[in-house]
């Protein structure tokens, strides 16, 4: 896997002729003209990437034909001309395993928009088009004939016509793409944010997901949103999309099709523009959508009259609106219906948007501090390697052998057993995929949609992404972990309980969320190596078979950490009443050596004391305006300290410090906030844990901007000293006495009259309200707030 740096087109083509799979070719800054990457074939990805992201390599056009395993990343494609109505700036034809990523693509910037397709593909498979900015073209994307396609995280704007167009695509994921809402149409042009079309059933599309995409009309209201017409569509999920338009067809599936699901989308009609309604229409299953027509509930969707928008949204629904205008009014239908998961992620970063599958339920646990079930039989591990055995004592289900799966006959399908009716549980398995293309099932306890009361679970691989879908009785929580590779071992662990779900991969937590899933009433078959999500409730049946090996499958009651599951697999004793001791024992032996450095550390005490006398809080003018000792939090809302606002906390500058020790790192947990919904009532501050990451969010009400500071790799059951300061145009964060980050940002609490929350967050409350969420499970101590900004150097002298 060589890395080669080139500085000219001839050097680039020469490097490609001798490259091997895994090689990277770095492009020095400069212009490379129009380049055709034709008739190249590698056994794994060869990457072409700019050497300097701040000064990317520039092409006037990129053509890829009859090529496999090529990735182009972080370049600029800028045409010096306007081009014809069908010219292509980036063209990918008759190729496979091609990725075009994180690049800017545009025509000549001269207010002419009747030429060029930005990114065009035809008859190509295993494509990934992600993270690109496409603008000043006639149409942003045209995808014509593709199997195993991912189009994600792209931003399109300033187009003469459609944003994204799809013809004959299969096994696709179209996720989190945005059109900026500005069009420059020719007279009579037909405008769509995202259009699927075809001239015959053979050019229809199937087996795909359209999720998390956003279109808010900026320049024209006569733009259809997500429109599927003219041909046949099968097995497509459309969810968590956000559309504002003046047209009736905001999300529309027409013509013919089967198994089309439209759920949890937000659609608003721009009043007094084109139509009086904008709808979610068509499909077999539709629920959880918020759209505009007449004020009435229709089935499991909610329809609003446009005259009533003020009851549902805090902002103005108009041409040129922003996502902030869609913040729900507390207690209204907009909190219950629509794409709130996606909206929350975009506005607050408080939710993970992930992939679709069959999710599962989560039960409450009475004692979160004691998450492990008692397994007294595991006290005597035998001399044999127990992981080679077929059964695991104390598990509700286990299959520890290695199962090779290459067809339907290799799938393990097990009828429901009462031992699998778990209110809290942990599922672990190891896998190695021969291929990560398409969709391949790992494990499921699922049935069609929410049959049998819902509470389903499915885990699978889709085009190099690991997906875990939890379902309760009416909704989904989906985790998506990218970068899964073929022929590589992975350890997957899934846990549910106490109204939360979590996913670990190779011992690292990669997803967590507040979600109530419970397997107590789930009577579905268990499949290993396939998905049963198309079966009738309680019946056998599966599809989407895995290709590779699955081993070390274990399902146990209670929430277990990866370390604890490893001990269980090895036959170690693990008890509910006692913490796991194996990781802690090494800490007892070094106590004496660890104590030895304390003497040298203590020697500087005298000089430090002298500095304390020289630089005291009185000297700097710093006064303590809030102080509290140790508080224990249980992870329940009733343990959150929700304190009325004190005028002493209206600070132009300040420093906040505390020590925190988390009992677990599930989901999002609030530590300290002076916050409310949106930007109501001045600048806001929230400090919280999101899994193993500490995050500080500062909000500037005047500009509507947010700033984030973060510290990663928190561990449970460990003390961390957290210090942050603000004022004089700067914010900063230090952890354990070490500077983490500073940023130029205008923030102060002088106009903030929100409650002070410890052990939770008030970011969803009304201005001055006391609503709390995201309860912390652990201990906070020595919480202190000073009225001066004291960066780490000064602060250390005061402690």
């Amino acid at each position: 896997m060589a890395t080669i740096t080139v500085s000219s087109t001839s050097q680039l083509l020469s490097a490609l002729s001798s490259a091997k799979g895994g090689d990277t070719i770095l492009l020095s800054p400069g212009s490379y003209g129009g380049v055709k990457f034709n008739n190249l074939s590698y056994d794994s990805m060869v990457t072409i990437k700019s050497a300097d992201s701040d000064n990317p390599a520039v092409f006037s056009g990129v053509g890829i034909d009859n090529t496999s395993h090529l990735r182009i990343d972080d370049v600029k494609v800028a045409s010096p001309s306007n081009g014809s109505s069908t010219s292509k700036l980036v063209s990918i034809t008759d190729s496979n395993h091609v990725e075009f990523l994180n690049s800017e693509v545009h025509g000549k910037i001269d207010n002419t928009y009747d030429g060029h397709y930005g990114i065009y593909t035809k008859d190509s498979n295993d494509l990934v088009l992600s993270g690109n900015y496409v603008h000043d073209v006639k149409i942003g994307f045209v995808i014509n004939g593709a199997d195993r396609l991912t189009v994600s995280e792209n931003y399109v704007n300033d187009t003469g016509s459609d944003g994204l167009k799809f013809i004959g695509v299969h096994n696709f994921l179209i996720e989190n793409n945005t059109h900026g809402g500005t069009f420059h149409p020719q007279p009579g042009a037909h405008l769509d944010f995202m259009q699927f079309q075809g001239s015959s059933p053979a050019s229809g599309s199937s087996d795909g997901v359209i999720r998390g995409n956003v279109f808010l009309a900026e320049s024209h209201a006569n733009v259809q949103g997500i429109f599927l017409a003219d041909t046949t569509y099968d097995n497509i999920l459309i969810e968590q999309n956000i559309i504002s338009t003046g047209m009736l067809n905001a999300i529309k599936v027409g013509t013919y099709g089967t198994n089309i699901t439209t759920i949890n989308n937000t659609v608003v009609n721009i009043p007094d523009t084109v139509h009086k309604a904008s709808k979610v229409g068509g499909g077999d299953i539709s629920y959880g959508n918020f759209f505009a027509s007449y004020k009435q509930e229709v089935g499991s969707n909610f329809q609003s009259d446009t005259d009533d928008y003020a009851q549902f949204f805090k902002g103005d629904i108009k041409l040129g609106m922003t996502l902030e205008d869609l913040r729900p009014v507390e207690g209204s239908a907009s909190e219950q219906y629509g794409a709130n998961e996606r909206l929350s992620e975009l506005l607050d970063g408080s939710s993970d948007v992930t992939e679709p599958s069959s999710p599962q339920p989560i039960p409450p646990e009475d004692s979160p501090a004691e998450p492990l079930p008692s397994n007294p039989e595991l006290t005597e591990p035998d001399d044999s390697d127990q992981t080679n055995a077929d059964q695991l004592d104390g598990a509700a289900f286990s299959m520890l052998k290695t199962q090779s799966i290459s067809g339907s006959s290799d799938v393990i399908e097990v009828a429901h057993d009462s031992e699998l009716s778990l209110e809290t549980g942990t599922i672990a398995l190891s896998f190695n995929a021969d291929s990560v293309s398409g969709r391949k099932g790992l494990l499921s306890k699922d049935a069609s949609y929410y049959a049998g009361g819902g509470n389903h679970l499915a885990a699978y691989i889709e085009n190099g992404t690991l997906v875990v879908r939890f379902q309760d009785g009416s909704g989904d929580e989906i985790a998506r972990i990218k970068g899964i590779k073929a022929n590589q071992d992975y350890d997957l662990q899934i846990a549910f309980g106490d109204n939360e779900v979590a996913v670990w991969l190779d011992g690292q937590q990669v997803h967590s969320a507040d979600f109530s899933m419970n397997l107590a009433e789930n009577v579905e078959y268990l499949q290993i190596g396939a998905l049963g999500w198309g079966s009738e409730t309680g019946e056998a049946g599966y599809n989407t078979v895995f290709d590779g090996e699955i081993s070390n499958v274990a399902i146990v009651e209670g929430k277990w950490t990866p370390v604890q599951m490893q001990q269980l697999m090895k036959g170690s004793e693990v008890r509910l009443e006692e913490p796991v001791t194996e990781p802690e024992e090494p800490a007892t032996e070094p106590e004496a050596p660890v104590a030895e450095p304390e003497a040298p550390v203590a020697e500087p005490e005298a000089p430090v004391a002298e500095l304390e006398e020289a630089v005291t809080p009185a000297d700097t003018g710093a006064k303590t305006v809030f102080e509290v000792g140790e508080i224990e939090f249980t992870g329940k809302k009733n343990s959150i300290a929700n304190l009325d606002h004190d005028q002493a906390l209206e600070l132009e500058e300040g420093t906040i410090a505390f020590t925190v020790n988390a009992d677990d790192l599930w989901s999002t947990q609030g530590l300290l906030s002076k916050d409310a919904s949106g930007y109501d009532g001045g600048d806001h501050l929230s400090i919280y844990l999101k899994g193993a990451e500490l995050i500080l969010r500062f909000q500037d009400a005047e500009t509507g901007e947010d700033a984030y500071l973060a510290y990663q790799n928190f561990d449970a059951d460990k003390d961390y000293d957290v210090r942050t300061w603000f004022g004089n145009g700067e914010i900063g964060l230090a952890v354990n006495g070490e500077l983490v980050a500073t940023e130029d940002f205008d923030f102060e609490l002088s106009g903030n009259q929100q409650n002070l929350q410890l052990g939770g967050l008030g970011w969803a409350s009304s201005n001055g309200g006391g609503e709390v969420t995201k309860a912390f499970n652990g201990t906070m101590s020595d919480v202190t707030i000073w009225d001066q900004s004291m960066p780490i150097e000064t602060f250390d002298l005061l402690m």
Side-chain angles (χ1 to χ4, degrees):
M1 295 189 293
T3 299
I4 307 161
T5 300
V6 302
S7 58
S8 68
T9 305
S10 60
Q11 290 178 6
L12 169 59
L13 295 176
S14 176
L16 286 168
S17 67
S18 60
K20 297 180 180 179
D23 287 355
T24 298
I25 301 172
L26 296 179
L27 304 173
S28 298
S31 177
Y32 291 77
V35 178
K36 293 183 178 181
F37 301 92
N38 295 346
N39 305 312
L40 301 172
S41 180
Y42 308 102
D43 57 9
S44 61
M45 282 292 178
V46 168
T47 299
I48 300 171
K49 185 176 183 179
S50 292
D52 183 357
S53 294
D54 295 329
N55 191 8
V58 180
F59 296 88
S60 60
V62 168
I64 302 171
D65 181 71
N66 190 33
T67 289
S68 66
H69 292 98
L70 182 68
R71 176 189 295 121
I72 298 179
D73 187 6
D74 195 19
V75 302
K76 185 172 184 177
V77 180
S79 173
S81 67
N82 290 311
S84 69
S85 61
T86 58
S87 59
K88 295 93 178 173
L89 296 179
V90 176
S91 175
I92 305 169
T93 57
D94 296 310
S95 297
N96 65 81
H97 295 94
V98 172
E99 299 178 1
F100 192 84
L101 312 173
N102 307 313
S103 298
E104 183 178 3
V105 177
H106 65 82
K108 186 177 181 180
I109 301 177
D110 62 351
N111 297 319
T112 300
Y113 305 91
D114 56 0
H116 294 313
Y117 297 155
I119 298 178
Y120 171 88
T121 79
K122 183 173 176 59
D123 298 332
S124 297
N125 302 324
D126 297 290
L127 297 178
V128 179
L129 310 171
S130 183
N132 302 295
Y133 173 33
V134 182
H135 61 98
D136 286 82
V137 293
K138 179 182 178 181
I139 299 177
F141 287 72
V142 176
I143 313 299
N144 188 352
D147 193 4
R148 298 177 300 278
L149 166 74
T150 297
V151 179
S152 65
E153 307 288 347
N154 299 289
Y155 185 84
V156 183
N157 203 21
D158 290 304
T159 58
S161 183
D162 296 348
L164 302 98
K165 188 185 292 289
F166 301 92
I167 305 162
V169 294
H170 308 278
N171 296 302
F172 61 84
L173 173 66
I174 299 169
E175 183 175 49
N176 296 353
N177 301 285
T178 300
H179 193 297
T182 301
F183 290 84
H184 308 270
Q186 294 292 311
H190 177 83
L191 305 180
D192 292 88
F193 164 39
M194 188 179 294
Q195 182 176 30
F196 287 71
Q197 63 186 84
S199 58
S200 67
S203 59
S205 298
S206 66
D207 300 304
V209 176
I210 305 169
R211 177 189 298 115
N213 303 288
V214 177
F215 173 75
L216 302 181
E218 176 75 22
S219 63
H220 294 71
N222 60 328
V223 184
Q224 296 185 135
I226 299 172
F227 190 46
L228 292 76
D230 302 328
T231 186
T232 300
Y233 301 94
D234 299 294
N235 303 318
I236 296 174
L237 172 64
I238 304 171
E239 68 171 355
Q240 292 291 334
N241 300 286
I242 301 172
I243 307 289
S244 78
T245 179
M247 299 291 282
L248 182 65
N249 293 324
I251 298 177
K252 175 66 175 178
V253 183
T255 325
Y256 311 102
T258 59
N259 195 20
I260 307 297
T261 301
T262 55
I263 59 174
N264 303 325
N265 300 285
T266 293
V267 166
V268 292
N269 175 266
I270 302 171
D272 303 321
T273 53
V274 187
H275 292 283
K276 293 184 178 180
S278 297
K279 289 189 173 185
V280 177
D284 305 292
I285 296 176
S286 179
Y287 61 86
N289 301 294
F290 185 105
F291 56 89
S293 181
Y294 305 100
K295 187 180 179 182
Q296 56 182 314
E297 283 195 285
V298 179
S300 298
N301 296 307
F302 188 85
Q303 291 183 276
S304 165
D305 190 328
T306 57
D307 292 337
D308 292 333
Y309 277 148
Q311 297 182 21
F312 305 113
F313 303 108
K314 292 189 174 181
D316 294 330
I317 307 304
K318 62 184 186 301
L319 200 64
M321 62 179 289
T322 68
L323 285 169
E324 190 65 41
D325 291 314
L326 288 174
R327 280 197 182 271
V329 171
E330 289 83 355
S332 72
S334 63
E335 281 193 322
Q336 307 300 320
Y337 296 85
N340 288 311
E341 183 179 277
R342 178 63 170 148
L343 182 65
S344 179
E345 180 197 38
L346 291 168
L347 291 177
D348 303 318
S350 61
S351 177
D352 292 329
V353 180
T354 48
E355 282 219 287
S357 294
S358 257
Q360 257 185 328
I362 299 188
E365 198 175 80
D366 293 335
S367 178
E370 299 176 340
L372 301 178
S374 178
N375 292 286
E377 296 178 7
L378 299 179
T379 58
E380 296 292 335
D382 61 30
D383 295 332
S384 65
D385 183 359
Q386 192 174 5
T387 60
N388 292 327
D390 207 17
Q391 301 296 322
L392 181 67
D393 289 342
F397 173 86
S398 62
M399 184 205 77
L400 303 184
K401 69 179 183 180
T402 298
Q403 180 74 7
S404 296
I405 301 172
S406 59
S408 296
S409 61
D410 300 322
V411 174
I412 304 296
E413 184 171 52
V414 181
H416 172 69
D417 185 282
S418 60
E419 291 191 2
L420 293 173
S421 298
L422 302 173
E423 290 193 351
T424 59
T426 301
I427 301 170
L429 62 87
S430 300
F431 67 89
N432 186 309
D434 290 343
S435 170
V436 294
S437 297
R439 183 181 293 162
K440 296 174 171 60
L442 289 169
L443 179 144
S444 76
K445 206 167 188 299
D446 202 350
S448 180
Y449 300 103
Y450 300 96
N455 289 322
H456 300 158
L457 173 69
Y460 58 95
I461 297 170
E462 186 167 64
N463 294 327
T465 295
L466 172 65
V467 183
V468 180
R469 187 182 76 182
F470 304 86
Q471 287 180 328
D472 60 13
S474 61
D476 296 2
E477 170 62 34
I478 301 166
R480 178 169 58 86
I481 303 96
K482 298 181 180 179
I484 302 300
K485 299 179 180 179
N487 304 310
Q488 182 168 323
D489 291 332
Y490 293 95
D491 296 322
L492 170 64
Q493 187 164 317
I494 303 164
F496 56 90
D498 194 23
N499 297 312
E500 292 177 314
V501 294
V503 179
W504 287 264
L505 189 67
D506 293 336
Q508 299 296 314
Q509 190 173 36
V510 291
H511 181 81
S512 61
D514 296 335
F515 192 73
S516 179
M517 185 195 98
N518 192 324
L519 286 184
E521 303 299 326
N522 181 302
V523 297
E524 312 308 337
Y525 274 64
L526 171 69
Q527 290 90 13
I528 298 169
L531 298 177
W533 58 13
S535 65
E536 298 296 325
T537 183
E539 300 294 330
Y542 54 83
N543 55 24
T544 318
V545 175
F546 186 65
D547 182 15
E549 293 183 345
I550 297 177
S551 61
N552 294 335
V553 181
I555 303 176
V556 298
E557 183 178 4
K559 296 188 293 183
W560 299 59
T561 67
V563 171
Q564 292 161 349
M565 284 301 294
Q566 289 175 7
Q567 291 181 324
L568 178 63
M569 293 288 190
K570 294 176 181 178
S572 301
E573 180 178 8
V574 184
R575 298 180 180 275
L576 178 64
E577 296 84 357
E578 301 173 1
V580 178
T581 57
E582 188 174 273
E584 296 178 359
E585 287 176 358
T588 60
E589 294 181 6
E591 281 182 0
V594 168
E596 289 177 7
E598 289 181 5
V601 170
E603 289 179 5
E605 283 183 359
V608 169
E610 293 174 6
L611 287 172
E612 287 175 346
E613 290 182 7
V615 185
T616 65
D619 293 333
T620 63
K623 297 179 181 179
T624 301
V625 294
F626 178 85
E627 188 172 15
V628 68
E630 182 173 302
I631 308 176
E632 293 186 4
F633 301 94
T634 66
K636 307 296 183 183
K637 282 188 178 181
N638 59 11
S639 71
I640 297 174
N642 194 357
L643 309 175
D644 291 339
H645 171 67
D646 188 319
Q647 188 174 358
L649 297 177
E650 296 180 22
L651 303 171
E652 292 187 1
E653 58 179 293
T655 300
I656 301 171
F658 56 84
T659 300
V660 59
N661 187 307
D663 289 350
D664 62 59
L665 294 172
W666 279 60
S667 190
T668 300
Q669 302 184 74
L671 298 176
L672 181 149
S673 80
K674 249 184 151 288
D675 205 344
S677 179
Y679 299 91
D680 291 346
D683 295 358
H684 297 162
L685 170 65
S686 282
I687 305 174
Y688 56 98
L689 292 170
K690 187 172 184 180
E693 185 176 22
L694 172 72
I695 300 175
L696 284 69
R697 186 183 77 175
F698 299 82
Q699 290 187 318
D700 182 352
E702 183 176 351
T703 64
E705 295 181 349
D706 296 357
Y708 291 86
L709 302 178
Y711 175 83
Q712 298 181 351
N713 300 322
F714 251 63
D715 291 326
D717 300 317
K718 183 177 178 181
D719 286 341
Y720 290 87
D721 295 324
V722 178
R723 308 167 185 176
T724 183
W725 55 92
F726 58 89
N728 305 313
E730 180 188 83
I731 55 176
L733 168 66
V735 175
N736 293 337
E738 298 291 334
L739 180 66
V740 175
T742 62
E743 184 172 332
D744 292 336
F745 191 73
D746 288 326
F747 174 86
E748 59 184 53
L749 291 178
S750 59
N752 182 305
Q753 297 184 2
Q754 311 304 329
N755 282 15
L756 172 67
Q757 286 91 14
L758 302 178
L761 296 175
W763 62 15
S765 69
S766 58
N767 185 21
E771 297 88 345
V772 292
T773 186
K774 308 297 182 186
F776 175 56
N777 185 20
T779 303
M780 292 179 67
S781 57
D782 300 324
V783 183
T784 309
I785 303 176
W786 288 269
D787 66 353
Q788 293 289 313
S789 172
M790 296 182 287
I792 186 67
E793 298 86 354
T794 304
F795 190 94
D796 279 346
L797 301 178
L798 300 178
M799 296 300 290

